[in-house]
Amino acid sequence: MKNIKSFTLALLVIVSAVTSFPSWALNVTASVNKTQVTKDEVIQLKIVADQKLDGNEVDFSQLSKDFYLGRPNFSSSVNILNGTRSDSSIWTVAIAPQQIGKLVIPSFDVDGVATAPITLNVTIDEQTPTTKDMIEVRTQLSKSDLYPKESALLDTRIIVKVDPRLLQNPNLTSPQATGLEIQALGEPKQYQAVVDGMEVMIIDQSFRVTATHSGQFVIKAPTLTGGVLYGNNRNGTTRILTLDTNSPTIDLKVNPIPDGYTGTWLPTSKLSLSQTWQLDDGKTVDSTSVSINSGDSLTRTVELTAIGLTSEQLPNITINNPKAFRVYSEKPSFKDNDDGSVTMTTKQVLIAQHGGSFTLPAIRVNWWDSANKKAAETTLEGLNVTVAASETLNPEPSASPTASNTTTTAKIVKDPGMWPFIAAVFAALWAVTSVMWYRSRRSNLSDQAKLSVKAGADQTPKQNLINAINSKNTIAAQIAYKRWRPTVWLSNEDDIALQCELDKMTKAILGHHTDITWDDKTILKLIAKAKSEQPKSETSLAHL
């Protein structure tokens, strides 16, 4: 009897404990504010748990396939009433169905407890605007018939006909195409405008479309994706209209490279060449010939402009100048023009080393005229240059005018007549003139050497050279060195070292050799050293 009483007492304690603490079992419910909805209509999904839980217990990502999702919100609370405590955790999120028919909100697992699924009946509202009513896409392709490696400009315009503040998660897509290279030119331009009497937002962007191989291609134009918040005043509902990804397509034909074409492949609808010649004093050469002195420079600037090509596709212009000129080439520069063309500017500075008559070569560029579908050639004329030898420069062997077009024709004379006598007279006069010129030149050199011994070297050419080096003007430094060199005495080793320093300075500054480092300490020391050296005697000067 005593055991029965003990068992009964224990059973009553257990029953009392179970009925007194119902919160030990987790209860979770899921609900919506309506189950009869239209496509894109916004409704609220709520999940409630009667315990305090972490906000990460619910994952709404499984809804993204069939619903537009807003940003989830989580809150928790504790209530104590008449000594009784109650906890709650609440998750809410705005959803909008993207398909019509019966859609099921699936079950959610919350801390091991599953919610019941919810079925929605989704219909369509005939009054709902479509994507075409809210977004308009316009495109313009500069050329729809290309060749491999040729480019065209694609201009796109997206017209947003709704208030931009109603856009939800907007995203600007890029043009899509297989077998073509598409590159955006700059950032999209966004601004407000009025189109057909309606205030709209416009997004403009340009792209470069480059063909890689022949064939027929389709380009899908860019568009705006995301959603638009839409309120229906008639029934008071709010919807998030999903913008579809359908956009206009553009057809593009790429022709094959013509059979039998030889040379560098350079397809473009228009290619032009221009050039300028500039002297030391800044004057421009307007004729096909010019006369300069040894040590003077000529600057040749060549501009090549082509449509439908990138800077990487433009050819390197190689000019084989006569050896009588020391040539310094600057790195080509490029400029993108508003019409889609690109301009390459190449500059060369040529310094005459000795006297003679020379022809600086013409420039020829072969290319494929894609507009007329034929091979083409564009040419720039060369320049005839007569260089007068300068006595102030180091004498160098005179170069024969190998670049000249002059030809000599020999004729057989049967009766010489008076010609031998006349030739002898001219020969004698030439010999006398040569002797007088030689004596005069020796006298001038001797006088100049004496003046140098007495008064020191002229400082003006030296200062010009130092100024050019300090300002890192490579061309001015080369010219100043040629004019300074005859005014001082240098050993062959120092002369070679100075020229090497000038060449190293040019390569380092013009940027063709990034691995070369240069500073002006060595060259300035060599210049200072030249000032202290003096000739040994006047007799030795006479032998120069």
Side-chain angles (χ1 to χ4, degrees):
M1 187 68 179
K2 184 177 181 180
N3 291 336
I4 294 175
K5 289 183 178 179
S6 299
F7 176 78
T8 303
L9 181 61
L11 183 61
L12 290 174
V13 171
I14 294 173
V15 172
S16 176
V18 171
T19 56
S20 300
F21 301 98
S23 60
W24 286 0
L26 176 63
N27 294 315
V28 182
T29 58
S31 63
V32 293
N33 57 329
K34 59 189 307 186
T35 56
Q36 299 291 332
V37 296
T38 58
K39 182 178 178 293
D40 299 319
E41 183 179 352
V42 178
I43 59 176
Q44 296 293 326
L45 170 62
K46 180 188 292 185
I47 298 177
V48 179
D50 61 357
Q51 289 185 18
K52 189 175 182 179
L53 302 175
D54 188 87
N56 295 324
E57 288 291 341
V58 178
D59 182 13
F60 291 105
S61 61
Q62 57 182 320
L63 297 174
S64 60
K65 180 181 178 181
D66 298 321
F67 297 88
Y68 178 88
L69 291 178
R71 179 174 296 179
N73 181 49
F74 171 75
S75 64
S76 62
S77 63
V78 177
N79 293 321
I80 300 177
L81 183 62
N82 297 328
T84 302
R85 170 175 172 154
S86 63
D87 297 324
S88 65
S89 298
I90 302 174
W91 294 263
T92 58
V93 64
I95 62 174
Q98 299 183 31
Q99 301 179 25
I100 60 175
K102 290 188 178 296
L103 289 184
V104 176
I105 298 176
S107 174
F108 292 92
D109 185 303
V110 182
D111 197 25
V113 178
T115 64
I118 303 172
T119 301
L120 302 179
N121 294 317
V122 184
T123 58
I124 191 169
D125 187 352
E126 299 295 338
Q127 303 298 321
T128 302
T130 63
T131 299
K132 292 182 179 180
D133 298 326
M134 298 179 288
I135 303 292
E136 181 182 352
V137 180
R138 299 179 184 179
T139 62
Q140 182 176 0
L141 188 63
S142 63
K143 195 176 181 183
S144 59
D145 194 311
L146 300 178
Y147 283 88
K149 294 187 177 181
E150 189 178 9
S151 301
L153 286 183
L154 174 62
D155 295 323
T156 64
R157 169 168 292 181
I158 299 175
I159 304 175
V160 182
K161 300 179 180 179
V162 297
D163 190 336
R165 293 172 295 183
L166 300 179
L167 294 175
Q168 305 293 306
N169 300 329
N171 179 50
L172 184 63
T173 65
S174 300
Q176 302 294 325
T178 302
L180 299 172
E181 294 180 358
I182 303 178
Q183 179 183 8
L185 301 179
E187 296 296 326
K189 297 179 181 178
Q190 180 177 317
Y191 56 94
Q192 300 289 329
V194 176
V195 176
D196 298 331
M198 177 186 296
E199 186 175 1
V200 297
M201 182 181 72
I202 293 180
I203 304 173
D204 288 338
Q205 190 168 21
S206 297
F207 301 86
R208 182 183 294 278
V209 181
T210 303
T212 56
H213 55 273
S214 60
Q216 298 284 344
F217 302 92
V218 176
I219 304 173
K220 185 177 181 181
T223 187
L224 195 68
T225 62
V228 176
L229 197 61
Y230 173 73
N232 191 327
N233 296 328
R234 184 171 52 116
N235 53 24
T237 59
T238 301
R239 304 179 184 180
I240 297 180
L241 306 181
T242 303
L243 299 175
D244 60 42
T245 58
N246 295 327
S247 59
T249 57
I250 308 105
D251 295 327
L252 178 63
K253 177 184 177 183
V254 181
N255 302 293
I257 298 176
D259 295 334
Y261 182 86
T262 59
T264 303
W265 178 246
L266 196 64
T268 174
S269 58
K270 184 179 180 182
L271 185 144
S272 62
L273 279 173
S274 64
Q275 70 177 351
T276 57
W277 299 92
Q278 197 172 39
L279 300 173
D280 276 348
D281 57 5
K283 292 183 179 179
T284 302
V285 179
D286 296 326
S287 59
T288 58
S289 61
V290 68
S291 297
I292 60 175
N293 296 320
S294 297
D296 290 348
S297 67
L298 270 173
T299 301
R300 186 179 195 178
T301 304
V302 178
E303 287 190 349
L304 185 153
T305 301
I307 293 179
L309 294 174
T310 63
S311 57
E312 293 80 8
Q313 293 172 310
L314 295 182
N316 292 324
I317 298 178
T318 303
I319 306 175
N320 297 320
N321 294 291
K323 294 182 179 179
F325 292 85
R326 180 173 290 182
V327 181
Y328 299 93
S329 300
E330 293 187 4
K331 207 172 184 180
S333 61
F334 300 91
K335 176 187 175 184
D336 293 322
N337 305 310
D338 294 337
D339 60 353
S341 64
V342 60
T343 298
M344 179 179 70
T345 302
T346 303
K347 183 179 292 187
Q348 280 190 342
V349 179
L350 303 97
I351 301 177
Q353 300 297 293
H354 53 77
S357 296
F358 311 94
T359 297
L360 300 180
I363 297 176
R364 292 179 175 84
V365 176
N366 296 317
W367 53 287
W368 179 260
D369 186 348
S370 59
N372 297 308
K373 302 186 186 309
K374 64 178 183 179
E377 181 184 78
T378 301
T379 305
L380 288 177
E381 293 184 354
L383 182 68
N384 298 317
V385 183
T386 301
V387 182
S390 174
E391 296 182 3
T392 61
L393 296 176
N394 293 332
E396 297 185 37
S398 178
S400 60
T402 55
S404 174
N405 295 325
T406 305
T407 58
T408 303
T409 304
K411 294 184 179 180
I412 299 176
V413 181
K414 295 182 179 180
D415 183 9
M418 295 293 294
W419 283 107
F421 175 75
I422 295 174
V425 172
F426 273 103
L429 291 174
W430 177 82
V432 172
T433 303
S434 300
V435 171
M436 294 176 65
W437 173 82
Y438 179 71
R439 289 180 177 177
S440 174
R441 184 173 184 274
R442 286 189 59 189
S443 177
N444 290 337
L445 286 173
S446 178
D447 292 342
Q448 182 181 358
K450 291 176 181 178
L451 289 173
S452 298
V453 172
K454 181 179 180 182
D458 184 6
Q459 296 299 309
T460 301
K462 175 183 176 182
Q463 193 58 47
N464 289 339
L465 177 58
I466 293 175
N467 292 340
I469 293 172
N470 289 336
S471 62
K472 292 183 172 53
N473 189 331
T474 60
I475 305 306
Q478 292 286 346
I479 297 172
Y481 177 76
K482 285 293 185 181
R483 294 175 178 172
W484 168 78
R485 173 63 183 87
T487 66
V488 296
W489 294 92
L490 282 176
S491 65
N492 289 335
E493 291 78 5
D494 288 342
D495 189 13
I496 294 173
L498 274 165
Q499 293 189 39
C500 289
E501 283 297 315
L502 286 172
D503 288 341
K504 187 185 294 184
M505 168 186 172
T506 300
K507 292 176 181 178
I509 292 176
L510 292 183
H512 295 289
H513 302 269
T514 55
D515 57 334
I516 294 179
T517 57
W518 175 86
D519 59 56
D520 57 6
K521 294 180 181 179
T522 302
I523 193 170
L524 291 178
K525 287 181 180 178
L526 291 170
I527 295 173
K529 180 180 178 182
K531 177 181 178 182
S532 61
E533 293 185 356
Q534 300 293 336
K536 294 181 179 180
S537 65
E538 184 176 344
T539 304
S540 63
L541 291 175
H543 294 288
L544 291 176

